[in-house]
């Protein structure tokens, strides 16, 4: 990728597949963008580009690259597949691009994320990287399996489909209340139905929303 191609990417603005960072001042925070791309459909991270689309570049690009790549290897688990290169934009400044590939080993996590340590998974939602819910993590994990998903279509599933036909979407918490079941049971049911392609999930920063896959709905409720 050359500078002309960098500028063409920048003109698109940040989106599902593109993130800008001015510099790697806090590389342990930038890795969440790397993880989000790997857990989603992949994407590009441009280091040396402002959020507003200006391209000041990096004065000490090699140091910035070392800091970020050290953080990637330290904080991303499992290892993430990516490639990168440095593009000179003047005699003294450069932009570094990272192409992060969609992973076949989802979910990936940022280790020791947050004040309480532990690990957190992220996914890409438009121009943001958001923390993945426990349901999204489970869907990512079980999507790797080639085994068919089996489920029984009982009373709670019928209530769910009738609600979705009327309202269009539902959250885990709302389904639990509707069916009079625990949150864990509601979560498990929705995850299975997503994996069976009966439902689709729309991630959000507050709570995920589940919708019917139209081509499955008619046969299930009839």
């Amino acid at each position: 990728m050359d500078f002309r191609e960098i500028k063409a990417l920048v003109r698109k603005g940040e989106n599902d597949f593109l993130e800008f960072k001015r510099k790697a001042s806090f590389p342990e925070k930038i890795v969440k963008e790397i993880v989000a791309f790997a857990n989603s459909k992949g994407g590009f991270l441009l280091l040396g580009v402002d959020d507003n689309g200006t391209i000041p570049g990096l004065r000490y690009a090699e140091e910035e690259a070392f800091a970020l790549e050290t953080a990637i290897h330290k904080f991303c688990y499992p290892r993430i597949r990516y490639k990168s290169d440095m593009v000179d934009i003047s005699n003294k400044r450069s932009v570094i691009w990272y192409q992060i590939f969609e992973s076949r080993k989802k979910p990936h996590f940022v280790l020791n994320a947050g004040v309480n340590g532990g690990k957190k998974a992220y996914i890409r939602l438009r121009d943001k990287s958001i923390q993945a819910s426990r349901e999204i993590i489970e869907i990512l994990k079980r999507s790797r399996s080639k085994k068919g998903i089996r489920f029984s279509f009982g009373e709670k599933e019928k209530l769910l489909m009738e609600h979705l036909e009327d309202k269009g979407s539902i959250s885990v918490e709302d389904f639990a209340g509707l069916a009079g079941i625990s949150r864990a049971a509601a979560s498990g049911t929705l995850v299975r139905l997503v994996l069976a392609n009966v439902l689709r999930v729309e991630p959000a920063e507050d709570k995920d929303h589940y919708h019917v896959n139209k081509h499955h709905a008619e046969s299930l409720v009839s």
Side-chain angles (χ1 to χ4, degrees):
M1 189 182 304
D2 57 25
F3 189 33
R4 177 182 56 81
E5 293 170 309
I6 293 287
K7 290 190 287 186
L9 268 182
V10 170
R11 282 195 292 270
K12 296 179 181 180
E14 291 183 312
N15 55 44
D16 298 78
F17 306 98
L18 187 59
E19 175 74 23
F20 304 152
K21 291 296 180 186
R22 173 65 184 87
K23 58 197 313 185
S25 300
F26 300 98
E28 68 278 5
K29 295 182 179 180
I30 297 177
V31 293
K32 79 174 187 179
E33 320 290 356
I34 307 288
V35 162
F37 283 135
N39 281 335
S40 304
K41 297 294 184 182
F44 285 89
L45 171 69
L46 301 182
L47 200 58
V49 179
D50 274 325
D51 289 342
N52 62 10
T54 58
I55 311 176
L58 304 164
R59 188 173 180 85
Y60 304 106
E62 291 183 0
E63 293 178 14
E64 302 272 358
F66 178 79
L68 181 53
E69 289 168 25
T70 298
I72 291 172
H73 289 285
K74 182 177 181 181
F75 296 113
C76 297
Y77 179 83
R79 288 287 181 91
I80 287 172
R81 191 166 64 95
Y82 70 93
K83 65 179 182 179
S84 65
D85 201 2
M86 197 175 299
V87 178
D88 293 333
I89 63 173
S90 71
N91 291 334
K92 294 183 178 180
R93 292 188 175 271
S94 304
V95 168
I96 307 172
W97 61 264
Y98 293 83
Q99 182 180 10
I100 300 92
F101 299 99
E102 179 179 2
S103 177
R104 291 177 290 183
K105 297 180 179 179
K106 303 174 186 178
H108 292 266
F109 298 88
V110 177
L111 300 178
N112 301 318
V115 295
N116 296 320
K119 60 183 182 180
K120 294 181 180 179
Y122 294 87
I123 56 171
R124 195 71 178 171
L125 181 65
R126 293 181 286 279
D127 62 346
K128 294 182 178 180
S129 296
I130 65 169
Q131 187 175 340
S133 65
R134 69 186 73 175
E135 288 75 33
I136 294 293
I137 291 172
E138 187 65 17
I139 290 166
L140 291 174
K141 185 184 301 181
R142 293 176 63 182
S143 292
R144 297 182 307 186
S145 172
K146 296 182 179 179
K147 294 181 180 179
I149 302 299
R150 295 183 179 181
F151 63 92
S152 58
F153 194 77
E155 189 60 33
K156 66 179 184 295
E157 286 80 12
K158 184 178 179 181
L159 283 172
L160 171 65
M161 300 305 287
E162 289 173 348
H163 175 92
L164 290 173
E165 185 177 5
D166 182 39
K167 302 296 185 181
S169 69
I170 198 168
S171 67
V172 174
E173 292 78 12
D174 289 343
F175 178 41
L178 174 72
I181 57 179
S182 68
R183 189 196 185 285
S187 171
T189 298
L190 291 173
V191 166
R192 285 193 295 274
L193 290 173
V194 170
L195 292 168
N197 292 319
V198 176
L199 302 183
R200 61 181 177 85
V201 59
E202 183 180 295
E205 292 188 78
D206 52 351
K207 58 177 67 175
D208 302 331
H209 295 276
Y210 295 80
H211 306 261
V212 173
N213 269 346
K214 294 295 185 182
H215 61 285
H216 286 275
E218 195 171 309
S219 62
L220 287 170
V221 297
S222 59

